[in-house]
């Protein structure tokens, strides 16, 4: 096949060479597993059981439809049943299992990929729409196969690049040890939680690749997270070029590692606090090993909903205690659960503007109280801070503080040990919080600044909308003025502020934050070494002068050019 380059948006830096593994369903990722000869017949039986189970489910559904709505609507199921009897589909899958000695999931995806492409080439719009029937059947077969799972395995047979419409961040984390080396999705942006997770795991990623449906499972790909492109069927020349880049990258990483162990101090002696953002408890060990002085942000919702259901209180206490013990005395900022982000609803509701963060917790107080009880009970094991996300009004903050006091009274009544001095803070990530943070200061102990959402709301840009994501710009004069205002409002209060958004993880924009007065940053582990290196290469005096200059500028491009020239001294 001829090399083809398809464009998207850079989500996580680096590049990966591997084979595509398509995810049809966010809940299910199929693997390519090579079977021993004696397993092939059993695998065919496993696939046939899935087909039969799917057929029984559809017939029950058809019978219910007939009872409820008459015979007409039950005909809708006929198309699905016909797919299960289609030799082009079922027999070809069995043939794939036999001839290639592969598992059912992989055979299903190989055959269905070919059929999807055939559907897409049809001129008849009605027939093209029948693709949806096949998609439903594929999804049903894959889920039914879960009831008769494959034998356990340790590794994929080759380096896998996950591709699909969406890949949830929790899925990416669960598969991190399965030799997943790259990621490409049709939707999403560099600020989606999936992209943040990819950066945290140092997995190269490209988001918003509109032409991704043309890529099939098994295709050889290069995912270039630096350029924001996916290269399909790369030529030998292209592969050699990337091998050369890989050697250069290893040398750069070695230099970065040496810099990471040095103190976080500017050229003119100003210390900067540099912490790590984590999404899962297992990352704490790596953060401490890298020399991070704190866990500046632990996004607890990923662990909280990891199993698809809420954990019990005792499990949470054990998990949070382990995090604190693993941190070895370094302070850990636990952000209470923030749900809603990265979940698209088909009724047109944008979850970024809905019930999430503290709003969710105040509507689901049983969940909020359970997490708070767990956090306080674990607090005796280390230095803990509790952070409330998505706060937009003083009333909501007061309600949260009252719930926190209720939880502490409950613990006192039960004579359960906890640290009563655990600091409580607010995440500034809405324009409302940015404008009124000084009014909240008397109620809390510290602040964190979440630039991802703050920029999104200030510039009226849905960060998951591909049509406007290019307008997202941390160098916009409105953002610079907002940050300058927040610093000015909070400085007289004496309350500490840590910037933990992605703006802190990019050297030029992090330099702007330092110049504006923010000397506490927290970044994903993948960015930690390069931000440390940037801090040690700049003068705080020079950055303050830079901040004064760019606050007078009118266009983002002018600001960015000025900042880059200063940081990289070009």
């Amino acid at each position: 096949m001829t090399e083809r380059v398809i464009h998207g948006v850079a989500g996580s830096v680096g590049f990966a060479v591997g084979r595509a593994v398509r995810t049809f369903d966010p809940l299910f990722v199929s693997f390519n597993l090579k079977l021993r000869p004696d397993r092939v017949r059993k695998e065919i039986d496993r696939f046939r059981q899935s087909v039969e189970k799917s057929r029984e489910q559809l017939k029950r559904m058809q019978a219910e439809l007939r009872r409820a709505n008459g015979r007409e609507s039950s005909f809708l199921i006929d198309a699905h049943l016909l797919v299960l009897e289609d030799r082009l589909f079922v027999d070809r899958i069995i043939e794939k299992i036999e001839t290639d000695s592969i598992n059912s999931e992989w055979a299903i995806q190989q055959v269905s990929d070919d059929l999807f492409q055939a559907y897409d080439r049809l001129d008849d719009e009605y027939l093209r729409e029948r693709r949806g029937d096949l998609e439903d059947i594929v999804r049903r077969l894959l889920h039914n196969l879960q009831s008769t799972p494959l034998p356990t395995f340790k590794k994929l047979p080759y380096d896998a690049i996950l591709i699909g419409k969406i890949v949830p961040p929790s899925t990416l984390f669960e598969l991190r040890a399965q030799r997943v080396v790259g990621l490409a999705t049709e939707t999403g942006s560099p600020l989606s939680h999936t992209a943040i997770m990819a950066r945290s795991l140092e997995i190269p990623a490209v988001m918003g690749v509109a032409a991704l449906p043309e890529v099939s499972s098994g295709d050889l790909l290069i995912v270039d997270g630096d350029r924001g492109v996916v290269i399909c069927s790369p030529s030998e020349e292209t592969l050699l070029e990337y091998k050369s880049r890989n050697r250069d990258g290893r040398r750069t990483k070695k230099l970065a590692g040496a810099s990471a162990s040095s103190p976080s101090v500017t050229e003119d002696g100003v210390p900067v606090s540099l912490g790590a953002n984590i999404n899962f408890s297992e990352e704490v060990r790596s953060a401490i090993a890298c020399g991070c002085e704190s866990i500046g942000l632990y996004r607890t919702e990923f662990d909280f909903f990891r199993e698809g259901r809420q954990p019990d209180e005792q499990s949470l206490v054990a998990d949070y205690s382990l995090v604190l013990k693993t941190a070895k005395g370094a302070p850990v900022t636990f952000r209470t659960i923030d749900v809603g982000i990265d979940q698209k609803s088909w009724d047109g509701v944008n979850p970024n503007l809905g019930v999430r963060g503290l709003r969710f917790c105040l509507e689901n107080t049983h969940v909020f109280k359970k997490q708070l009880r767990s956090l306080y009970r674990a607090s005796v094991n280390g230095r803990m801070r509790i952070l409330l996300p998505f706060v937009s009004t003083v009333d909501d903050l007061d309600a949260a503080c009252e719930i926190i006091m209720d939880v502490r009274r409950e613990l006192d009544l039960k004579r359960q040990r906890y640290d009563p001095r655990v600091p409580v803070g607010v995440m500034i990530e809405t324009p409302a919080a940015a404008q009124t943070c000084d009014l909240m200061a008397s109620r809390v102990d510290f602040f964190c600044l979440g630039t991802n959402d703050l920029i999104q709301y200030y510039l009226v840009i849905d960060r998951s909308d591909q049509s406007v994501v290019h307008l997202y710009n941390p160098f916009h004069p409105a953002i610079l003025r907002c940050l300058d205002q927040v610093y000015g409002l909070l400085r007289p209060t004496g309350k500490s502020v840590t910037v933990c958004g992605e703006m802190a993880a990019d050297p030029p924009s992090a330099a702007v934050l330092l110049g504006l007065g923010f000397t506490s940053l927290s970044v994903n582990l993948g960015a930690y070494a390069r931000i440390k290196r940037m801090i040690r290469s700049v003068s705080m005096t020079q950055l303050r002068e830079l901040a004064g200059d760019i606050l007078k500028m009118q266009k983002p491009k002018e600001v960015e050019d000025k900042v880059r020239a200063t940081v990289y001294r070009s």
Side-chain angles (χ1 to χ4, degrees), residues 50 125 151 185 449 517:
S50 173
E125 186 176 350
T185 60
L449 189 58

Side-chain angles (χ1 to χ4, degrees), residues 11 13 86 273 425 492:
V13 296
D86 189 341
S273 173

Side-chain angles (χ1 to χ4, degrees), residues 260-272:
S261 61
S262 307
S264 180
V265 181
T266 62
E267 277 186 340
D268 51 350
V270 179
V272 176

Side-chain angles (χ1 to χ4, degrees), residues 59 134 157 194 277 398 428 455 483 493 564:
K59 285 184 174 178
L134 179 59
T194 298
N277 297 338
D398 284 343
I428 301 172
I455 295 172
L483 295 171
T493 70
R564 288 186 177 278

Side-chain angles (χ1 to χ4, degrees), residues 8-13 164-167 169 172 183-199 203-210 225 228 341-344 352 451-453 455-456 461-473 502:
V9 180
S12 178
V13 296
K165 191 176 185 67
I166 57 172
V167 176
L172 192 58
L183 169 71
T185 60
E186 294 174 44
T187 60
S189 78
L191 294 164
S192 66
H193 272 188
T194 298
I196 292 170
M197 176 65 72
R199 290 192 288 275
I203 295 175
V206 180
M207 326 299 290
V209 187
I341 297 180
D342 288 355
Q343 297 172 10
K344 284 294 174 192
N352 289 308
T451 55
N452 302 350
D453 276 328
I455 295 172
Q456 170 176 247
I461 293 167
D462 182 349
R463 55 182 173 153
S464 60
D465 185 341
Q466 298 307 125
S467 65
V468 294
V469 72
H470 64 284
L471 299 174
Y472 182 99
N473 195 323
E502 290 302 299

Side-chain angles (χ1 to χ4, degrees), residues 109-124:
Q109 293 199 358
Q110 291 279 294
V111 171
S112 56
D113 266 355
D114 291 342
L115 292 174
F116 286 143
Q117 289 181 31
Y119 272 117
D120 291 340
R121 287 194 296 266
L122 292 172
D123 293 328
D124 189 296

